[in-house]
Amino acid sequence: MTAAADAGEAAELLAAVPAGRRVALVDPRFIGHVHALRLGLTDPRFAAASIPGALTAQPEARPALLRALRRAVTAVGAGAPVASSGTDAVAVAEDRTVPGRLADALDAEGTRVQRPELGSLTASVPSRPEERNTARAAVAAVDDEAVRLRSAVKAHDGFFTTYFISPYSRYIARWCARRGLTPNQVTTASLVTALIAAGSAATGTRGGYVAAGVLLLLSFVLDCTDGQLARYSLQYSTMGAWLDATFDRAKEYAYYAGLALGAARTGDDVWVLALGAMVLQACRHVVDFSFNEANHDAVSNTSPTAALSDKLDSVGWTVWLRRMIVLPIGERWAMIAVLTAVTTPRIVFYALLVGCALAACYTTAGRLLRSLTRKAQRTDRAARALADLADSGPLAQAVAAAVRRPGGGFTAPLLAFVGALVMVGAAVFTPYGGWSAVGAAAVYAVLSGLAVSRPLKGALDWLVPPVFRAAEYCTILVLAARSDVPHAVPAAFGLVSAVAYHHYDTVYRIRGGTGAPPGWLVRVIGGHEGRTLVVAVLAALLTHGSGFTTALTALAAAVALVVLVESIRFWVSSSAPAVHDEGELA
């Protein structure tokens, strides 16, 4: 920390700091909480941030700050505002310190300055003795450590997490912070704990099931702790966002596999139920992602259903009831853990399938009502996001380029739904091993291409990606289950896991504002319609022996290798979004 006598000296000192380092300007008269300064000056997610009397700039914003400071030297010396005449006069009046004026100047120039909400924390630059005494009293009246602990907990969380995990996990987060542990280390510990839980479940013994339930709950505690540690110590990172988002899915689906392996040891084959639970959960997630992407920047985005939802949220008990109905991750993992310890894997999967199906019906029905009653105009960005989530491969893209679907607000989801019915219906009802499923896959590819041949801006076009996911995953599940080939369903579990990872990776890239994975990746792994056709052809050709299992395993390994290598390359690159994912309730 270096003191500057005036703005001119401050400019010289800033220019001398190495280019790759963050810099901060703090008025020497500043009085406030330490955590207020921490929020304003150390959050890595923002190029520039400010609180009253203090301003920070990351390397990418430093040139703009230095330009503003040099321009401001004369103006500040004369007592004139630095910001242009278009700057909010109220903001200028609230903070006329050098850092405050520079923050307004950066905003006026086009460099966005983050101004965190301080709540009960104090940050001020008093000029008179009585104001300084008042500011000191305000600092003494609020325990900033208590505020820091409270703010470490996610504002909107599930009932189980809020009342059974967060009351003590926040203290675990503080313990980790004081010992120099990072959120990524806690995230990794959570994954390792969940994998050990899956291994315990795979033993097929009652003791193993009890241990698995306890370890799964411990994994969830650590899963909550990593995010709380990130918020407590402001250790947000690109890698942390990716690990937190993907490990949750990996933990849950690995646990499903562990339960299926444990049941098999006792002579109960529940692999179909395990794969069904994974398919249902993945489809629930894509419904959430697709609906949110379609509507987050829509114009005139209101509806009577949304108004009713907001009204219900104003009543305390309805908020918790509505959050519990959707069976979020906390409630779901608690149910899985308890049922694992006291019942059997088959009962666990029955409960999961029933609970998740009811939750899916509830949320999807509400979103359908909202979509049909609101008069929203969706943007080109939303249509692009839906097209990326659709994951259309070369076959569908060729059809889309050659033929345009008929006009009409519901043609896209209708074509997708008809194609899915044709595909899944053929897999279920036609003789296994015949070429009817292959013909249905060809029809599905054509209808899929027609569905995405125009921008997805209709009221229900957000249904297109979830329908495609359901069609592909269910086709793989049904064909593997009907094959009667040893270990075909576990191989199908691996294939769906690899494909689902690709779809989750697509979502998190879009959320970070960097767009979908590169087009070559989608082409190499075939798109949803291409993979569906390949699996149908393999089922028709390899009807005897273990060939179908071997082919599914090889396809799963190939898809996993390609998508993992590209995903890791992207998330560790400089182009990855610098965001921290707060996670989904589901």
Side-chain angles (χ1 to χ4, degrees):
M1 179 183 295
T2 305
D6 53 33
E9 185 178 352
E12 294 175 1
L13 291 172
L14 286 180
V17 177
R21 296 176 59 185
R22 174 202 288 266
V23 296
L25 290 171
V26 182
D27 193 292
R29 301 165 296 169
F30 176 87
I31 294 179
H33 287 97
V34 173
H35 192 51
L37 278 176
R38 189 181 292 113
L39 288 171
L41 303 182
T42 65
D43 194 324
R45 294 174 294 177
F46 310 108
S50 176
I51 60 173
L55 171 68
T56 185
Q58 298 266 39
E60 61 267 31
R62 279 185 52 188
L65 171 61
L66 193 56
R67 288 194 302 269
L69 184 55
R70 285 171 173 165
R71 288 197 308 265
V73 170
T74 303
V76 170
V82 174
S84 66
S85 58
T87 304
D88 189 345
V90 175
V92 175
E94 288 177 349
D95 187 3
R96 293 182 61 82
T97 64
V98 172
R101 292 174 172 181
L102 290 173
D104 293 324
L106 289 178
D107 273 333
E109 185 181 316
T111 300
R112 180 177 177 271
V113 178
Q114 173 70 14
R115 292 175 171 83
E117 292 288 338
L118 299 180
S120 59
L121 297 176
T122 296
S124 63
V125 183
S127 57
R128 295 193 297 271
E130 59 272 20
E131 293 175 346
R132 296 182 69 81
N133 291 334
T134 300
R136 290 193 180 100
V139 171
V142 175
D143 183 353
D144 67 341
E145 179 60 20
V147 173
R148 189 181 181 189
L149 270 175
R150 287 197 303 271
S151 61
V153 177
K154 194 160 58 175
H156 303 288
D157 223 328
F159 180 85
F160 179 78
T161 304
T162 299
Y163 289 104
F164 293 91
I165 304 296
S166 293
Y168 57 87
S169 62
R170 69 184 75 180
Y171 296 101
I172 300 176
R174 182 172 66 180
W175 183 89
C176 293
R178 291 177 175 177
R179 283 151 184 82
L181 297 177
T182 66
N184 290 354
Q185 290 170 333
V186 178
T187 301
T188 303
S190 175
L191 174 66
V192 171
T193 304
L195 293 179
I196 296 174
S200 298
T203 63
T205 64
R206 179 52 52 195
Y209 289 150
V210 172
V214 173
L215 288 169
L216 186 64
L217 287 178
L218 177 58
S219 174
F220 183 65
V221 171
L222 294 174
D223 183 53
C224 296
T225 300
D226 64 0
Q228 291 166 357
L229 174 58
R231 288 182 285 274
Y232 179 85
S233 56
L234 298 179
Q235 295 184 72
Y236 302 109
S237 69
T238 297
M239 181 63 71
W242 175 57
L243 293 178
D244 187 54
T246 55
F247 279 11
D248 279 353
R249 307 286 80 81
K251 288 181 288 190
E252 185 167 2
Y253 299 155
Y255 192 82
Y256 291 177
L259 284 175
L261 287 169
R265 286 178 175 272
T266 62
D268 188 12
D269 187 354
V270 297
W271 273 107
V272 170
L273 297 178
L275 181 51
M278 182 170 69
V279 168
L280 180 55
Q281 190 59 30
C283 289
R284 282 186 64 199
H285 282 142
V286 79
V287 167
D288 295 341
F289 300 146
S290 187
F291 178 81
N292 291 336
E293 288 301 323
N295 291 285
H296 89 282
D297 58 354
V299 180
S300 302
N301 200 17
T302 60
S303 75
T305 308
L308 175 60
S309 178
D310 293 339
K311 186 176 180 180
L312 289 174
D313 282 343
S314 66
V315 182
W317 68 270
T318 65
V319 174
W320 294 119
L321 179 62
R322 280 147 52 82
R323 289 184 187 178
M324 292 172 68
I325 287 175
V326 300
L327 203 62
I329 188 170
E331 278 76 355
R332 190 169 68 252
W333 282 27
M335 180 186 74
I336 293 171
V338 171
L339 290 179
T340 299
V342 301
T343 64
T344 65
R346 181 172 290 274
I347 293 176
V348 173
F349 286 124
Y350 282 154
L352 263 176
L353 289 168
V354 172
C356 289
L358 291 175
C361 290
Y362 169 77
T363 55
T364 305
R367 286 165 180 168
L368 285 171
L369 287 173
R370 290 191 184 199
S371 300
L372 292 172
T373 56
R374 65 174 31 138
K375 303 297 182 181
Q377 297 179 2
R378 291 177 173 82
T379 63
D380 292 337
R381 180 214 167 276
R384 179 70 261 167
L386 291 180
D388 291 335
L389 289 173
D391 191 34
S392 300
L395 295 177
Q397 290 174 4
V399 172
V403 185
R404 294 290 181 181
R405 73 170 185 263
F410 304 116
T411 55
L414 182 61
L415 286 168
F417 187 69
V418 170
L421 282 181
V422 169
M423 184 66 253
V424 177
V428 173
F429 296 111
T430 62
Y432 178 80
W435 289 89
S436 300
V438 176
V443 173
Y444 172 65
V446 172
L447 294 177
S448 299
L450 287 175
V452 298
S453 61
R454 295 181 186 273
L456 298 174
K457 293 186 176 182
L460 297 181
D461 284 2
W462 58 269
L463 286 170
V464 171
V467 170
F468 288 165
R469 295 297 81 76
E472 179 182 3
Y473 297 167
C474 289
T475 297
I476 297 172
L477 166 61
V478 171
L479 290 178
R482 294 190 63 198
S483 67
D484 288 330
V485 175
H487 310 302
V489 180
F493 190 97
L495 176 58
V496 172
S497 298
V499 174
Y501 177 86
H502 163 62
H503 291 143
Y504 282 116
D505 186 55
T506 301
V507 167
Y508 298 129
R509 294 197 199 205
I510 293 173
R511 280 186 167 183
T514 58
W520 68 262
L521 176 66
V522 177
R523 291 192 295 272
V524 166
I525 61 176
H528 70 95
E529 81 291 348
R531 291 186 298 270
T532 303
L533 179 59
V534 167
V535 172
V537 170
L538 292 175
L541 292 175
L542 306 172
T543 56
H544 302 290
S546 60
F548 189 48
T549 298
T550 303
L552 288 179
T553 303
L555 183 58
V559 171
L561 177 63
V562 173
V563 300
L564 280 173
V565 168
E566 164 55 23
S567 177
I568 293 171
R569 181 211 63 78
F570 170 78
W571 286 102
V572 301
S573 70
S574 59
S575 61
V579 298
H580 177 76
D581 182 68
E582 290 290 338
E584 302 82 35
L585 284 179

